[in-house]
Amino acid sequence: MLETLLIRSRATPSEPPRRRGATSLGPERDRFGVLKGVLAAVPWLQVGMGAVIVLLAALVPWGTGKVLGAMDQQILAVDVKGEFVGDSRVAIERAAGDWIGKSYFATDLSEIKDSLERRPWVESAAVRRVWPDRLVIDIREKKPLAYWTDGRLVSRTGELFAPANPEVAGRLPRLAGPDERVRDVIDMARDMSDKLVARGLGFSGLTLEHRGAWTLQLANGIEVVLGRDQVAQRFDRFITVYENRLAARSDEVSRVDARYTNGVAVKWKAVETASSPKS
């Protein structure tokens, strides 16, 4: 009986034999394989470097602020450089003294620049720091070209300004006219001055009236009325008449009216030539 059972058991196996090492966890193995593939595809080196860069970018401003704060000192001295005629080195140093004791790094240099450039004589101011506690200020003054209406000055760049001490500009021509025509007056004055100097005559001043009439003043005191129209032609006519007829008697001439078509009218210092000038 026992033998029969043993034979039957070997002859009729209940299920097929399994291969050695086989398992029933196939789907789980597939999921882990996908995850491993995804992780393997991530560029971990680049990610790490990016994280480090972001961290450093966040730390640099903080660290810089800490370093500058540790190095910061008070401004203890101001050096002023430049050539001065209207303003003075001492006055500018005194004005800049308001920043003595302020923070070396935190002080706004543009604020100092703007403050100094509001001074009537200052055309430009350049301000820079010099470590560890000094400011250096380079001043460029306006160069006056002439006296303008109401005692003001006009600079070589055509800027009108009204300092408290215009007389320090010395001996300059006198220009006058509407403020909005200052460029026109300067251009006309330069053109006339060049032509006069080429002929040995001195330029003293030029006036443009509101109605548009021009009057020239020579250095020898002669006044030349040019009117509103054909100003350049009238000026050239005056030059011709002066060289041919008036140069020898210039000290006797008071006024020349060039508002005529074919000549000029002369007012002498002792005798006046009667005429009816036309505009």
Side-chain angles (χ1 to χ4, degrees), residues 259-277:
R259 294 176 293 174
Y260 292 91
T261 304
N262 297 316
V264 300
V266 179
K267 177 181 178 181
W268 304 93
K269 291 180 179 178
V271 180
E272 179 179 353
T273 302
S275 61
S276 299

Side-chain angles (χ1 to χ4, degrees), residues 123-159:
E123 180 173 320
S124 65
V127 186
R128 56 190 173 90
R129 298 179 178 90
V130 176
W131 177 258
D133 55 12
R134 186 177 299 271
L135 293 180
V136 175
I137 301 173
D138 290 291
I139 297 292
R140 184 170 65 182
E141 277 196 343
K142 296 169 184 172
K143 303 296 183 183
L145 175 69
Y147 291 100
W148 187 253
T149 309
D150 300 331
R152 290 175 292 168
L153 292 170
V154 55
S155 72
R156 295 178 185 178
T157 60
E159 180 182 354

